[in-house]
Amino acid sequence: ASSRLTHAQSLPADIICEIFAALAECNPPKRKRPGSSSTRGPHTSLSTAPAAIIVSPSWARQPTERAEGNALAPQSTVRLLADESSLGWIELTHVCKKWRAAGLSLAWLWGDVFPIFPRAAETILSRSRNAPLSLDLDLMWQLERRAELPPYLVTFFNLAQQHISRAHVMSFPYFSWDNLRWDQWHPSPLRRVYFPHLQVLRVSCERDGDEDA
């Protein structure tokens, strides 16, 4: 067998990191849209995927405003719903050992996908080290509306609360003082936490019937 390196393997580490950052902008991980007829999942499992720049990609860090029709603006993680699930840039960590090491070194990228894969919350949190976290739960709200939380969501919310001060974007997708749909995730702790990285905060609350504020 040839011992020569491929072009991909011979790239400098800093160039590989730039490729990861560029792909995170144009190909973030996606989750399958509820009701989608497609049965294909990600080509690879996050459990087999390989986590210090502290700048988040624009899709997660730009200020968000309400769009027409009271819908969430495109920067919300809701935009990561798709007909097919995909690991996006995470698949680059499967190219080779060198690319895996580069991907694992980019803690900020892992911090941005923390709420996208709640089943892998502990793994992703470990890879994010101390980088700022996305706690934008708009996507999760679309996928995880349950009367009783399964154990992996209980774990996710516990971790999110423990590391809430690291948030650079945070959302409370459905909040009502009279009916806490996710009683593990509500704005009350905001009054006593310092947020050195926070850039975006969204709270959607019930007001006068079914209208969202």
Side-chain angles (χ1 to χ4, degrees):
S2 174
S3 61
R4 290 192 307 172
L5 296 177
T6 66
H7 290 301
Q9 291 173 312
S10 62
L11 287 173
D14 60 333
I15 298 299
I16 297 174
C17 289
E18 289 293 334
I19 293 173
F20 270 96
L23 196 61
E25 290 273 2
C26 64
N27 188 22
K30 294 181 176 64
R31 295 286 302 276
K32 184 178 176 181
R33 182 179 292 107
S36 172
S37 59
S38 172
T39 58
R40 277 177 52 197
H43 298 298
T44 49
S45 167
L46 186 62
S47 62
T48 62
I53 304 171
I54 307 181
V55 179
S56 60
S58 59
W59 60 265
R61 63 180 163 82
Q62 290 178 351
T64 304
E65 297 177 357
R66 288 282 180 171
E68 283 194 36
N70 210 32
L72 288 171
Q75 289 81 15
S76 164
T77 52
V78 141
R79 73 185 284 267
L80 302 180
L81 284 172
D83 292 334
E84 301 283 354
S85 296
S86 169
L87 290 179
W89 63 264
I90 295 173
E91 292 190 21
L92 291 183
T93 61
H94 303 159
V95 171
C96 64
K97 182 178 180 180
K98 185 175 182 178
W99 283 59
R100 179 182 177 89
L104 287 171
S105 74
L106 299 173
W108 62 278
L109 284 182
W110 296 101
D112 275 327
V113 299
F114 178 62
I116 310 305
F117 300 108
R119 290 180 183 271
E122 292 174 294
T123 297
I124 293 175
L125 189 67
S126 173
R127 293 172 181 175
S128 73
R129 301 189 189 96
N130 293 317
L133 294 176
S134 169
L135 294 179
D136 181 344
L137 303 194
D138 294 345
L139 173 65
M140 190 185 296
W141 173 246
Q142 297 294 320
L143 299 173
E144 305 288 0
R145 303 186 192 189
R146 307 172 188 231
E148 185 174 343
L149 294 180
Y152 74 88
L153 280 185
V154 173
T155 298
F156 171 84
F157 282 120
N158 286 339
L159 291 172
Q161 289 170 348
Q162 291 171 29
H163 298 272
I164 195 170
S165 64
R166 292 169 54 190
H168 69 86
V169 55
M170 183 162 39
S171 70
F172 297 87
Y174 193 97
F175 174 72
S176 168
W177 287 110
D178 299 321
N179 182 17
L180 297 179
R181 303 295 178 88
W182 279 348
D183 55 4
Q184 288 86 356
W185 187 247
H186 52 87
S188 298
L190 300 182
R191 294 174 296 185
R192 54 182 182 272
V193 178
Y194 172 59
F195 296 95
H197 308 292
L198 190 62
Q199 297 175 315
V200 177
L201 172 65
R202 293 191 302 274
V203 180
S204 178
C205 59
E206 191 175 73
R207 179 181 64 186
D208 296 328
D210 293 329
E211 276 191 42
D212 283 347

